[in-house]
Amino acid sequence: MSLRVFVPRDAAAVAVGADDIASKLEQAAARRGIAIDIVRTGSRGLYWLEPMIEVATGQVRVAFGPVSERDVASVIDAILAGGPHALRLGIAEEIPWLKRQTRLTFARCGLVDPRSLADYGTHGGYKGLERALALTSDDILADVTASGLRGRGGAGFPTGIKWKTVAQTVTDRKYVVCNADEGDSGTFADRMIMEGDPFVVIEGMTIAGVAVGATKGYIYIRSEYPHAVEAMNAAIAAARRAGFLGSRVGGSSHGFDLEVRVGAGAYVCGEETSLLESLEGRRGIVRAKPPLPAHKGLFGKPTVINNVLSFAAIPFILAGGAKAYADFGMGRSRGTMPIQLAGNVKYGGLFETAFGMTLGELVDDVGGGTFTGRDVRAVQVGGPLGAYFPRALFDTPFDYEAFAARDGLIGHGGIVVFDDTVDMSKQARFAMEFCAIESCGKCTPCRIGSTRGAETIDKIRAGERVSENIAVMEDLCNTMKFGSLCALGGFTPYPVMSALKHFREDFGPAPTRLQAAE
């Protein structure tokens, strides 16, 4: 008898013992004289169940989790006997939390061996590139535009327009850059896809290169993601060996190659022009726009720069058709969004769904409320620069325009949950302090405004001329919002002003409400 067991090599799973589980599985099988084939996959994204292992049984995979080292022996015995086990979750695809998702971008994540090009091809990989190579540049751009895909990095700019601008610019050289500097708190979708399905990013970037006439691409990954760096480098090498990268992509006349570059930990390098400065070997400082990167980007050449999730969505669009993608979602928010649930939440993980679910559904239903069991008081959507939404706004659909209408932003799709013990004045101060630490220093509103903002909130919290200092804070936020060169200073007012607007009782001398909650 032999067993085929799937164990995630995703960083989050490894952090809670997945490598040790894989080792214990081998030892347990050896003691029983059983052959075992352990396939290291990405994560399915059900992080509260990690390490979650899956065992091939006929045509299905049965999941167990969260598995600890001491559970391995009993799990193996249950598999061999075909009997029950306390950690048995049933057929993986039938787990309700996973089954209710609409997985387009993450369809293969947790299913395939991310290091296997053959596995990628078996599950529909490179079908998008195959079709793209048979189309003209204009046809590819038309598909991307018709799909309604908008930048998944946070700005939500239409991808088709950006690509078309680069394609129409005449020059001797163009570039494609992938922004994998995922620095927002509560976000991990970029890391998950790079570790769990790296070929989809490579395929998406290659299609971009073919569409705009670029021959070189760079993936800029934050240094805190060593597993992603390793996975992307391995996948690039495999794609190059198979002829999907190089001078004749897929046997065509198009040339395109990729290279990974690792950042040095600056949050501001998630901003596209700072990232380009860093790629060129300089300190990550924001560039004034115009010129836009689409006209004058990397090394002064026209550059397509998109987020990991944007490129990862492209193969589905080219393979399945623009309409198939655009049929999901609502309004101007088309397709699906990989939503990341984090913070004080019962069921934390990645949940990919079409735009349109309400914030309340995502937090209370999908996320299961707080991990502590206390009431949800606030959620922050869109990273450390996102607005704080109270329960009164939980009817807001997860959609770019719906959030903007309520002075919020969905950003990279991260949702961080807080229970009723949170002090929102501290959260507002953290936003200013974070901006002060991470500012590149180029513009005065961000560099000085954030420091003065933290000082002003300290005065408010101490009860010092509260009304007057709140007025100062509002004026300061207005200056930062409209005067900063980039979104770091421009978006910092969102968490501050939303905290002031919706949780005014936390701004004052004694935090009596918090004491009462205890």
Side-chain angles (χ1 to χ4, degrees):
M1 182 179 182
S2 64
L3 290 176
R4 185 172 173 82
V5 184
F6 302 84
V7 182
R9 70 190 324 155
D10 179 270
V14 169
V16 290
D19 285 348
D20 296 329
I21 298 300
S23 178
K24 290 291 183 181
L25 283 167
E26 289 180 339
Q27 295 169 19
R31 284 195 297 270
R32 290 162 176 75
I34 301 167
I36 188 168
D37 176 22
I38 296 178
V39 182
R40 301 304 301 272
T41 65
S43 173
R44 295 271 196 174
L46 289 72
Y47 279 146
W48 77 96
L49 294 175
E50 293 289 9
M52 187 177 88
I53 68 170
E54 299 174 32
V55 182
T57 306
Q59 298 300 310
V60 299
R61 283 158 53 164
V62 177
F64 295 80
V67 178
S68 66
E69 290 184 58
R70 64 177 179 273
D71 298 317
V72 170
S74 63
V75 168
I76 289 283
D77 291 339
I79 294 167
L80 295 175
H85 193 280
L87 299 180
R88 190 180 191 278
L89 302 168
I91 298 172
E93 281 78 9
E94 296 299 317
I95 297 173
W97 205 83
L98 188 60
K99 188 175 182 179
R100 69 183 297 188
Q101 297 185 44
T102 302
R103 288 211 161 184
L104 306 183
T105 304
F106 281 77
R108 282 176 293 266
C109 208
L111 188 64
V112 301
D113 176 355
R115 307 298 171 91
S116 171
L117 188 56
D119 217 0
Y120 182 66
T122 300
H123 291 83
Y126 278 114
K127 296 295 183 185
L129 178 61
E130 182 182 339
R131 180 168 175 264
L133 291 174
L135 298 176
T136 65
S137 170
D138 287 343
D139 290 337
I140 298 172
L141 296 172
D143 263 14
V144 175
T145 302
S147 73
L149 177 66
R150 296 167 67 176
R152 296 293 188 253
F157 188 82
T159 304
I161 294 176
K162 181 182 289 189
W163 287 20
K164 187 175 182 180
T165 303
V166 176
Q168 291 178 342
T169 304
V170 179
T171 183
D172 61 331
R173 193 165 178 81
K174 299 175 184 178
Y175 294 98
V176 175
V177 173
C178 178
N179 183 348
D181 193 65
E182 185 177 50
D184 284 351
S185 50
T187 59
F188 41 85
D190 289 358
R191 179 192 59 72
M192 263 190 69
I193 203 77
M194 287 189 290
E195 293 177 12
D197 191 13
F199 290 108
V200 77
V201 182
I202 294 171
E203 184 179 0
M205 293 184 70
T206 307
I207 292 169
V210 171
V212 306
T215 56
K216 179 73 174 182
Y218 293 92
I219 305 174
Y220 186 95
I221 306 177
R222 64 192 310 232
S223 59
E224 295 89 343
Y225 282 175
H227 299 82
V229 171
E230 181 185 354
M232 289 306 311
N233 275 324
I236 287 171
R240 195 178 289 131
R241 286 194 300 269
F244 289 110
L245 290 174
S247 58
R248 293 179 59 84
V249 172
S252 72
S253 60
H254 297 279
F256 186 76
D257 210 348
L258 279 175
E259 183 179 331
V260 169
R261 291 288 180 89
V262 181
Y267 178 81
V268 76
C269 284
E271 192 277 333
E272 60 181 14
T273 63
S274 292
L275 185 154
L276 294 175
E277 287 286 305
S278 181
L279 264 180
E280 292 177 7
R282 292 188 289 273
R283 179 184 169 199
I285 296 180
V286 175
R287 297 176 182 174
K289 291 185 286 190
L292 297 170
H295 291 130
K296 188 178 180 182
L298 187 63
F299 304 120
K301 301 298 182 181
T303 302
V304 166
I305 178 165
N306 280 121
N307 163 266
V308 171
L309 300 180
S310 303
F311 285 121
I314 294 296
F316 177 91
I317 292 168
L318 265 294
K323 185 179 183 303
Y325 190 81
D327 280 346
F328 296 97
M330 61 181 286
R332 292 181 54 229
S333 300
R334 311 311 306 175
T336 61
M337 186 72 181
I339 295 164
Q340 299 122 93
L341 294 162
N344 189 342
V345 64
K346 188 175 182 181
Y347 303 127
L350 183 132
F351 189 89
E352 184 177 357
T353 187
F355 286 97
M357 287 186 75
T358 67
L359 185 58
E361 287 178 280
L362 290 166
V363 174
D364 296 327
D365 187 12
V366 176
T370 65
F371 178 79
T372 56
R374 302 182 70 104
D375 291 337
V376 175
R377 186 170 188 231
V379 295
Q380 186 176 34
V381 183
L385 308 182
Y388 289 102
F389 275 28
R391 181 164 287 282
L393 298 181
F394 276 19
D395 62 340
T396 309
F398 206 85
D399 155 78
Y400 289 103
E401 278 67 44
F403 266 74
R406 292 184 165 182
D407 294 324
L409 50 102
I410 65 174
H412 190 42
I415 298 176
V416 180
V417 181
F418 298 86
D419 72 11
D420 59 4
T421 62
V422 67
D423 183 341
M424 297 306 296
S425 65
K426 284 185 178 180
Q427 295 302 122
R429 188 193 188 283
F430 169 75
M432 286 294 188
E433 181 184 36
F434 179 84
C435 182
I437 293 169
E438 298 293 346
S439 174
C440 75
K442 186 167 184 176
C443 71
T444 303
C446 178
R447 182 183 71 250
I448 302 299
S450 54
T451 300
R452 293 293 170 260
E455 293 171 354
T456 305
I457 293 177
D458 283 340
K459 293 176 182 178
I460 295 169
R461 283 173 51 80
E464 182 181 328
R465 302 175 64 193
V466 173
S467 297
E468 292 90 334
N469 277 312
I470 285 178
V472 169
M473 177 59 61
E474 291 172 342
D475 186 59
L476 184 61
C477 283
N478 189 64
T479 300
M480 292 178 69
K481 183 175 181 178
F482 296 105
S484 297
L485 269 177
C486 81
L488 177 53
F491 283 175
T492 295
Y494 280 85
V496 177
M497 293 309 299
S498 61
L500 272 167
K501 179 179 180 180
H502 301 300
F503 306 97
R504 176 63 184 83
E505 63 273 21
D506 285 14
F507 293 82
T512 52
R513 183 209 54 78
L514 185 62
Q515 292 170 355
E518 297 295 338

